[in-house]
Amino acid sequence: LISKCKVKVCYVGDTPNRNRSIITEDTAKIIAKSLPGSPIVGYYNEEKGDFEEHNRYFTFKNGKLQMKTNTRPYGFVDLNAKVWFAKYLDDDGVEREYLVTEGWLWTKQYSDCQRVVEGKGNNQSMELDEETLDAR
């Protein structure tokens, strides 16, 4: 029903991540403590047959503009998951050090996420919580 996967949470260092945040190794160690029990979410675009970024859309309700998300949970990070740092060569040819953990995907329930387990791309990304973000 479920399949184990490796999650590259974010890369660490002095250069910005794809979401333009800079996450030092010390900060990543703090982030690592919050990973156990976290959901693994995504948006699967059926037309493209691939996962995309965290998709959001806007709607009007009661005369107010609201931002909604159409991601869904596809799995979770185990409460006892290992967390470590490892270097990977990215598609752009640059080697980066990542914060990595183990996750579980509901591949029986969502066959779309089997492609992640098989290593067919689908980089993960980390949601930053604006309410707990300290940008000092």
Side-chain angles (χ1 to χ4, degrees):
L1 297 177
I2 62 175
S3 300
K4 195 171 191 177
C5 66
K6 187 184 322 178
V7 181
K8 295 189 291 186
V9 178
C10 61
Y11 55 82
V12 298
D14 298 328
T15 58
N17 274 278
R18 290 173 192 89
N19 64 10
R20 297 182 306 279
S21 63
I22 296 175
I23 300 173
T24 65
E25 188 170 329
D26 288 339
T27 301
K29 288 177 183 176
I30 295 168
I31 291 169
K33 294 176 188 176
S34 69
L35 292 174
S38 295
I40 299 174
V41 301
Y43 171 73
Y44 187 77
N45 184 326
E46 291 188 23
E47 289 179 21
K48 293 183 179 178
D50 201 352
F51 285 91
E52 294 184 350
E53 296 180 22
H54 299 282
N55 283 23
R56 294 187 173 105
Y57 63 95
F58 292 95
T59 185
F60 279 100
K61 185 174 182 179
N62 298 328
K64 293 186 180 182
L65 183 65
Q66 295 180 338
M67 184 172 62
K68 302 262 187 174
T69 181
N70 52 1
T71 59
R72 73 167 53 149
Y74 281 92
F76 61 95
V77 176
D78 191 281
L79 292 174
N80 297 311
K82 293 188 303 182
V83 179
W84 68 97
F85 290 96
K87 292 185 179 182
Y88 292 93
L89 186 63
D90 284 340
D91 292 340
D92 61 3
V94 177
E95 184 180 71
R96 295 183 175 92
E97 185 172 21
Y98 279 82
L99 172 65
V100 184
T101 192
E102 303 166 317
W104 293 94
L105 297 174
W106 297 309
T107 49
K108 178 72 172 178
Q109 178 73 23
Y110 302 110
S111 60
D112 306 333
C113 60
Q114 182 64 39
R115 64 182 286 115
V116 176
V117 176
E118 294 170 354
K120 295 182 179 175
N122 301 117
N123 292 325
Q124 304 87 22
S125 66
M126 178 179 62
E127 283 283 321
L128 298 176
D129 185 347
E130 293 177 16
E131 295 189 22
T132 61
L133 187 64
D134 184 358
R136 285 185 264 169

